[in-house]
């Protein structure tokens, strides 16, 4: 059984930074493509970005790419989402996900395992 546990969320002022972590256990971390999603109140869950087994990264938008950085540490079985220059519209529950597809997909259905989510709140 694969388990994903997110941490690092919290309350931050606009312009601030947070680093989310997602620790993966139960299977070989290197065999998974990892994705980050978020869901704001009243909205659908949306893709933020993902990282392939080889380290290739895909971001959802240019705005995310300019402010967020995804990385993975194979020694710690952990994937990170570094978020800088946060905006109030980044407020959401952030989820990490693991999948066995060939590359980081934007659709949540291609991911097999999910974390419980961590709340990120950005105040104006």
């Amino acid at each position: 059984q694969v388990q994903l546990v997110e941490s690092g969320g919290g309350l931050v002022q606009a312009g601030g930074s947070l680093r989310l972590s997602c620790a993966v256990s139960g299977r070989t971390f290197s065999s998974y493509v990892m994705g980050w999603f978020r869901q704001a109140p009243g909205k659908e869950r949306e893709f933020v970005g993902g990282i392939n087994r080889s380290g290739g990264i895909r971001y959802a938008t240019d705005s995310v790419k300019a402010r967020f950085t995804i990385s993975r540490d194979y020694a710690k079985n952990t994937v990170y989402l570094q978020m800088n220059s946060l905006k109030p519209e980044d407020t959401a529950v952030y989820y990490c996900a693991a999948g066995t597809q060939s590359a980081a997909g934007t659709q949540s259905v291609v991911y097999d395992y999910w974390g419980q989510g961590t709340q990120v709140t950005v105040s104006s």
Side-chain angles (χ1 to χ4, degrees):
Q1 184 71 18
V2 178
Q3 292 185 328
L4 284 68
V5 179
E6 300 104 333
S7 60
L11 174 63
V12 63
Q13 290 187 336
S17 298
L18 283 174
R19 188 177 80 157
L20 306 184
S21 301
C22 174
V24 181
S25 63
R27 290 285 297 273
T28 305
F29 176 65
S30 60
S31 66
Y32 288 106
V33 171
M34 302 299 299
W36 284 101
F37 288 75
R38 65 186 180 186
Q39 188 167 17
K43 295 187 177 181
E44 293 186 353
R45 189 171 298 187
E46 64 176 5
F47 176 73
V48 175
I51 185 166
N52 298 335
R53 298 176 187 84
S54 61
I57 298 171
R58 178 179 188 178
Y59 296 99
T61 66
D62 288 340
S63 173
V64 168
K65 184 178 181 180
R67 300 182 296 121
F68 294 4
T69 302
I70 296 173
S71 61
R72 64 192 298 168
D73 186 330
Y74 292 95
K76 296 182 178 180
N77 289 356
T78 300
V79 62
Y80 302 99
L81 179 64
Q82 176 69 45
M83 304 185 293
N84 301 325
S85 302
L86 282 162
K87 305 175 181 180
E89 51 263 43
D90 294 317
T91 294
V93 177
Y94 283 71
Y95 299 89
C96 68
T100 56
Q101 69 271 28
S102 59
T106 62
Q107 302 299 313
S108 60
V109 293
V110 303
Y111 293 87
D112 303 305
Y113 303 100
W114 292 82
Q116 81 287 354
T118 186
Q119 177 71 48
V120 171
T121 303
V122 184
S123 63
S124 57

